[in-house]
Amino acid sequence: MVMLDHLEPPLLSQAINSVLTKIADAEHIPSTVPTIIAPFLVPASKLKLEGRLLTKNSGKLPLYSIQVGPETDVSRAIAAKTQKPPPSLQIHYEPLACFLHLVRAANLPTSIIVGQRSQSPFNQALSEDLQTLYEIGQLAASTTGTYFQREQTSTNWIPTAKTASGGGVGESWLAFYGCYISIY
């Protein structure tokens, strides 16, 4: 599990590329490459449906899935439990565009789950965004045979950083920006 939160290009593209390279080159992975499940909460202002920006009045989008690369059992299961984005849905979200570009180039089996981030006032938005995260967590858990419990999900995510001298970071840009990527 890898969580990249609040990264912007070019650091975002470098971090994603490092993660995808580690997955593709991992020696501990059996002969088949695992399916990458990549959830994205996209701000409503970055989504257009039928040529109009989605607003608070437009209602909440269901979870959409986009399958990239070879199809797997996991990607089929996710597709069965989500909706396919309509052709009129336009997503103008740079982190997702960056991820799509890199995962297509790597040709790794990937299921991208797209949920809408709320535009409501702060407390209501947090509640709506957490609900979307819970739905994504349940979806990922049910399709991968893992366990997800809503009550034990922490809402205070505090990133930890390891330095090049203490954490064995191989890329200088990771140490410079205080990032450390681990794949579990």
Side-chain angles (χ1 to χ4, degrees):
M1 172 177 269
V2 177
M3 182 174 174
L4 301 175
D5 195 20
H6 303 295
L7 294 179
E8 296 292 328
L11 180 60
L12 176 66
S13 60
Q14 293 170 330
I16 291 171
N17 190 46
S18 291
V19 170
L20 294 176
T21 301
K22 281 187 175 263
I23 291 170
D25 295 342
E27 294 177 12
H28 66 278
I29 296 175
S31 61
T32 60
V33 177
T35 301
I36 298 169
I37 301 172
F40 281 87
L41 281 180
V42 178
S45 63
K46 304 290 184 180
L47 298 167
K48 282 186 177 182
L49 188 59
E50 297 173 4
R52 292 180 295 199
L53 282 176
L54 292 178
T55 62
K56 185 174 157 184
N57 299 333
S58 300
K60 185 174 171 115
L61 280 178
L63 294 179
Y64 289 116
S65 67
I66 303 166
Q67 197 252 312
V68 181
E71 190 175 72
T72 64
D73 292 340
V74 171
S75 64
R76 280 190 290 276
I78 288 175
K81 295 177 182 181
T82 57
Q83 292 187 21
K84 184 177 181 179
S88 61
L89 179 66
Q90 298 175 4
I91 304 171
H92 302 279
Y93 190 54
E94 195 168 7
L96 177 56
C98 173
F99 181 78
L100 265 172
H101 176 73
L102 292 170
V103 82
R104 282 184 177 143
N107 196 33
L108 294 170
T110 305
S111 286
I112 299 170
I113 303 169
V114 178
Q116 179 182 341
R117 182 177 289 159
S118 178
Q119 288 191 155
S120 302
F122 181 75
N123 288 338
Q124 185 180 355
L126 179 60
S127 174
E128 290 173 8
D129 290 351
L130 284 175
Q131 180 60 34
T132 303
L133 285 173
Y134 296 144
E135 290 173 25
I136 291 171
Q138 288 287 40
L139 173 64
S142 69
T143 56
T144 59
T146 56
Y147 178 73
F148 178 83
Q149 186 173 359
R150 177 182 183 147
E151 291 77 26
Q152 292 180 352
T153 304
S154 173
T155 58
N156 296 321
W157 293 328
I158 302 170
T160 58
K162 296 185 180 181
T163 62
S165 59
V169 177
E171 306 243 5
S172 59
W173 66 268
L174 291 173
F176 180 74
Y177 286 103
C179 297
Y180 182 73
I181 298 171
S182 294
I183 297 177
Y184 299 100

